[in-house]
Structures are given as structure tokens and as C-alpha cells.
Amino acid sequence: QVHLVESGGGMVQAGGSLRLSCAASGRTFSSYYTMGWFRQAPGKEREFVADITRSGGSTYYADSVKGRFTISRDNAKNTVYLQMNSLKPEDTAVYYCVARSGGSTYDYWGQGSQVTVSS
């Protein structure tokens, strides 16, 4: 089983920044996995935020966060990061770390980390 643990969430004012971290562990975890982030705002469905392939050579961002968020990974530490800048109140959500071995289905999910952006 692969376990994903997020950290770094909190509350900031609009325009501020936060960096989320996600540490992966487990016997079956591999640095070949694509890792990424989803989020779920109150009253809304979970939505894709960003992901990154093993090598870091391919990244993808939701339109709502392009230019403001940056995803990166440190394979030696089995950790993925989400740097969030110029935060907006609409970014308020629980952010979930995710991982997949391939394809489009995310196999593993973290417990979530709350990010709150005040106006």
C-alpha cells in the first residue's frame, strides 16, 4: 500500500503564498509514478489542480491555477510539492495529494490539507 501525507496547508490573505508538500511511502511506491494534486472546495466536486511525471519533464495545470501554482518533485525524498502564489479566495479548498502508476486513474490519495485564503 502507498501512503501519501500532505503538509504545509494553512490560512493566508489574498495575494499570499503557501507551499504544500506530500511525502510518499510504502513498499510498492515507485518514483515512476505520476504525482499530483486535486482540491475540493465547499459545496463543489473535487477538481484537478496539477500533476507531474516521474522525470519532471511533463507537467499539467488546471486553467484556474496556471501562472500562479508550480508543481515539482524530489524523487530522492519521494516528495512532491505545490508552490502556490498569488492566492485567491476561490483557491480555498482541501488539497489532496494523488499518485498513479500510469494511465489516467489515480490509484492513491492522501488525507487532504486545508488551504484557506481570506479576502
Side-chain angles (χ1 to χ4, degrees):
Q1 179 65 41
V2 172
H3 300 277
L4 306 174
V5 180
E6 302 97 333
S7 62
M11 184 174 182
V12 297
Q13 292 186 320
S17 298
L18 285 173
R19 189 179 76 160
L20 300 179
S21 299
C22 173
S25 62
R27 190 178 69 181
T28 62
F29 180 78
S30 171
S31 61
Y32 290 100
Y33 283 24
T34 294
M35 299 186 69
W37 298 88
F38 277 68
R39 67 185 183 186
Q40 186 170 26
K44 298 183 179 180
E45 297 183 350
R46 289 181 181 178
E47 65 173 337
F48 172 81
V49 177
D51 64 14
I52 184 168
T53 58
R54 175 186 64 85
S55 68
S58 296
T59 59
Y60 184 79
Y61 298 91
D63 288 341
S64 59
V65 305
K66 285 181 179 177
R68 299 187 298 119
F69 291 12
T70 302
I71 189 170
S72 61
R73 67 189 296 166
D74 184 341
N75 289 335
K77 298 181 179 179
N78 292 333
T79 300
V80 65
Y81 305 94
L82 185 68
Q83 178 67 45
M84 304 182 292
N85 298 326
S86 301
L87 284 162
K88 304 175 181 179
E90 51 263 45
D91 294 318
T92 295
V94 176
Y95 284 71
Y96 296 90
C97 181
V98 297
R100 69 188 190 205
S101 59
S104 60
T105 300
Y106 291 95
D107 302 293
Y108 305 103
W109 293 71
Q111 83 286 352
S113 182
Q114 178 70 47
V115 171
T116 302
V117 184
S118 61
S119 60

